[in-house]
Amino acid sequence: MGAGFGGLCMAAELKRAGIDSFTIFEKEGDVGGIWRDNTYPGCGCDVPSHLYSFSFEKYRDVALRYPEQREILAYLQHVTDSYDLRGHLRTGAGIASADYSESTGRWVVRTTSGETHIFDIVISAVGQLHRPKLPDIPGRDDFKGESFHTAKWNHDYDLSGRDVAVIGTGSSGAQLLSHVARVARRVDVYQRTPNWVVPKPRTEFGPVTRWAFTRLPFTQNIYRALNYLAADLALSPIIARGWSARPAEWVARRHLRKQIRDPLLRAKLTPDYPIGCKRILIDNTFYPTLNRANVELVTDGISRITPTGIVTADGEHRDVDAVIYATGFRTTEFLVPMRVRGRGGVSLDERWADGAEAYLGMALPEFPNLFFVHGPNTILGHNSNIFMIECQVRYVLSCLRLLPGGGLLEVRPEAMRDYQRWLEKAISRTVWPTGCQSWYKTASGRVTNPWPASTMRYRKLTRRDPADAFRVLTP
Ligand code: N01
């Protein structure tokens, strides 16, 4: 389910393993996942392109360090074609439900258009950042101007010469701001919580690197490995206030000081929570854009939206022509709106009512032969998510090898319990539970989305023999 990075990786690896009997269901019209949906101006990735690609299909660029949305989407289309996946793809086919049948030991999968399919194994790869979240602000629906979410950009609406409100200053809001401010007459940027922002290294490679990448292609592999190691060894300790947290905060403060001269504006942009608690922004354009004469950072809370603009807590009404919601995604709902039922009719919604959890983020007792790619506690803010996806896909393939002639595989409750205990302890050592509010956790404060350790740790855990944690059932 899903034809983003996760689903395509799974499909390509199935092909590479000689398995051809699979279908990829995609609710939209093409592959690409979030990189198909997010087309806002400035959309790109702050993970270097060499690292933000599959190890079996390395992305090569001798000019640019960071890929833009269009390049990533083209890369995913290239993977789809190179691994001959189009024939397996069913587009416009959202999944409404997946029910385990006790009598057949198979899964009954229904699409939103009412088709029914039967499968031995179901793998969900729907991602965590695909359902836009619009804020619950009174009067939102009364606004008479143009409004849209960053993941549903209206390219038919010309922002030139308009007065625009941008609500939200996360990765998306920060990336698009300079592009909007360049054409709009005025931009009000509504910030609820400031983010830690560190400088982005130079986008273009220098002449020596270009020469090496062109003449000695193996140097691209070295560069990829160095990026991976740097992220894991230097960035991942930040989340648990390890050795690099203070230096990272120092770099971010210096970046802010250098780019924002006005002390009042600087104060508004200074976070009061530990770095790494929310996703760190890697950006060079957000702060300078706030210095522009046509941009105002508004930090008073929004009390309501009127037909013509936005009213803040201090009572000020700012008229605008358009409102851009850079307000993030419904991250903790995972497989919603799908209805999934396992053995004995147990519902995934009920199992996850207090927050999603899964063994290594991939499997649950009572849900035989159901796997998740990018499931609970597997997303990263400090390294390439593609690495995590590959670990999961490799592990799922190892699971499938335990069923050479078919059959059912289910994670043992003891393995799930031990893993969850370890996970919660690891999370409790991070800054996430108490440091701030973020999309990493549920309304009740349970951290359900990010991985709380190094990616090397995840690699080690997913290299173990799944036979240690799973049992084979007879239907
Ligand atoms: O969403 P977000 P995003 N009133 O949830 C604010 C990835 N990504 O789309 O912080 C006012 O981060 C909210 O405020 P607060 C990346 O993993 C990667 O920007 O909750 N404001 C916040 O400022 C990223 O983390 C790239 O107080 C409201 C913002 O909206 C993830 O996607 C590029 C509000 C939401 O920020 C999501 O990023 C882009 C309200 N009622 C995205 N409600 C790369 O480069 C929410 N906000 C890889």
Side-chain angles (χ1 to χ4, degrees):
M1 303 169 178
F5 261 104
L8 293 178
C9 183
M10 190 73 240
E13 288 285 26
L14 283 171
K15 279 271 189 183
R16 276 155 50 90
I19 301 169
D20 217 29
S21 52
F22 63 89
T23 306
I24 313 167
F25 290 92
E26 167 53 53
K27 67 177 163 44
E28 302 297 335
D30 199 1
V31 301
I34 55 164
W35 296 109
R36 173 204 57 229
D37 296 345
N38 286 271
T39 58
Y40 60 80
C43 181
C45 186
D46 56 17
V47 177
S49 57
H50 285 74
L51 189 54
Y52 203 71
S53 62
F54 298 129
S55 60
F56 57 85
E57 190 65 35
K58 293 194 187 81
Y59 185 81
R60 303 288 194 192
D61 196 326
V62 298
L64 290 178
R65 200 186 297 266
Y66 296 101
E68 309 232 313
Q69 175 264 339
R70 231 172 296 171
E71 285 149 5
I72 303 172
L73 186 57
Y75 168 80
L76 288 173
Q77 281 162 344
H78 158 78
V79 170
T80 309
D81 295 328
S82 306
Y83 290 83
D84 207 10
L85 303 179
R86 295 245 177 234
H88 296 268
L89 186 63
R90 298 284 306 270
T91 53
I95 302 298
S97 65
D99 293 88
Y100 174 71
S101 159
E102 302 275 357
S103 57
T104 61
R106 305 180 87 194
W107 284 86
V108 181
V109 172
R110 289 190 183 82
T111 64
T112 45
S113 61
E115 289 173 18
T116 299
H117 301 264
I118 310 290
F119 291 102
D120 296 310
I121 291 147
V122 173
I123 302 164
S124 163
V126 297
Q128 298 189 6
L129 296 160
H130 64 111
R131 295 183 64 223
K133 189 178 75 186
L134 290 172
D136 243 348
I137 301 172
R140 198 190 73 213
D141 294 337
D142 301 333
F143 183 62
K144 296 276 184 262
E146 183 62 31
S147 65
F148 45 86
H149 187 274
T150 47
K152 301 216 177 279
W153 197 266
N154 180 358
H155 290 277
D156 294 332
Y157 184 77
D158 187 2
L159 292 165
S160 307
R162 309 281 192 175
D163 293 337
V164 181
V166 175
I167 303 181
T169 54
S171 303
S172 306
Q175 279 187 342
L176 66 85
L177 187 62
S178 66
H179 297 264
V180 173
R182 225 172 283 146
V183 296
R185 188 170 70 151
R186 196 189 91 233
V187 186
D188 302 328
V189 185
Y190 290 84
Q191 173 193 271
R192 191 164 61 179
T193 316
N195 280 294
W196 288 99
V197 185
V198 296
K200 196 171 184 176
R202 201 171 58 171
T203 307
E204 290 184 5
F205 292 120
V208 176
T209 313
R210 277 177 194 234
W211 179 89
F213 281 4
T214 312
R215 299 290 172 87
L216 309 166
F218 70 90
T219 57
Q220 298 200 38
N221 292 344
I222 298 174
Y223 172 71
R224 177 182 160 102
L226 289 176
N227 269 298
Y228 168 75
L229 286 175
D232 223 41
L233 299 175
L235 297 184
S236 84
I238 292 175
I239 57 181
R241 294 302 289 168
W243 70 271
S244 48
R246 277 173 175 273
E249 274 182 12
W250 181 84
V251 168
R253 283 185 203 280
R254 186 163 168 272
H255 187 49
L256 176 59
R257 257 195 327 273
K258 276 177 78 174
Q259 293 203 313
I260 301 286
R261 296 269 170 228
D262 174 1
L264 275 180
L265 183 56
R266 209 186 295 152
K268 287 180 177 179
L269 290 164
T270 304
D272 63 355
Y273 58 86
I275 192 165
C277 190
K278 290 160 103 68
R279 168 70 147 80
I280 300 170
L281 309 192
I282 306 173
D283 183 279
N284 295 339
T285 61
F286 178 58
Y287 287 153
T289 307
L290 294 173
N291 289 325
R292 288 176 66 113
N294 69 333
V295 177
E296 183 188 356
L297 182 74
V298 183
T299 53
D300 287 302
I302 299 173
S303 53
R304 66 197 159 89
I305 295 179
T306 70
T308 56
I310 294 180
V311 182
T312 40
D314 58 357
E316 186 164 351
H317 183 278
R318 289 175 177 82
D319 274 327
V320 281
D321 300 306
V323 177
I324 296 169
Y325 293 104
T327 43
F329 299 87
R330 306 178 84 86
T331 51
T332 55
E333 296 175 356
F334 290 88
L335 270 62
V336 170
M338 258 180 252
R339 196 176 54 82
V340 180
R341 287 188 185 276
R343 274 196 299 120
V346 58
S347 135
L348 191 61
D349 276 352
E350 283 162 27
R351 279 296 301 274
W352 283 355
D354 295 330
E357 59 185 39
Y359 179 71
L360 296 173
M362 287 187 270
L364 269 180
E366 297 175 281
F367 292 83
N369 286 10
L370 173 68
F371 298 95
F372 311 110
V373 173
H374 251 175
N377 295 105
T378 58
I379 210 163
L380 299 178
H382 60 268
N383 205 329
S384 171
N385 278 300
I386 315 307
F387 178 88
M388 297 295 275
I389 288 173
E390 285 201 60
C391 289
Q392 290 153 36
V393 165
R394 208 174 302 119
Y395 191 80
V396 172
L397 284 174
S398 308
C399 288
L400 301 190
R401 284 190 198 105
L402 296 178
L403 302 170
L408 291 168
L409 202 61
E410 187 178 292
V411 66
R412 293 173 211 269
E414 321 81 78
M416 176 74 211
R417 205 177 38 239
D418 291 349
Y419 167 73
Q420 197 59 30
R421 220 176 268 156
W422 172 84
L423 183 81
E424 276 161 26
K425 205 164 168 198
I427 288 172
S428 71
R429 290 193 209 106
T430 69
V431 288
W432 302 324
T434 52
C436 67
Q437 279 308 317
S438 77
W439 64 257
Y440 291 171
K441 52 191 186 184
T442 62
S444 66
R446 187 158 172 203
V447 178
T448 53
N449 295 67
W451 172 247
S454 69
T455 65
M456 288 181 202
R457 185 69 183 259
Y458 193 71
R459 183 176 185 276
K460 197 170 160 200
L461 292 172
T462 52
R463 290 272 162 160
R464 285 189 187 160
D465 183 352
D468 298 343
F470 285 75
R471 59 182 170 173
V472 177
L473 303 176
T474 37

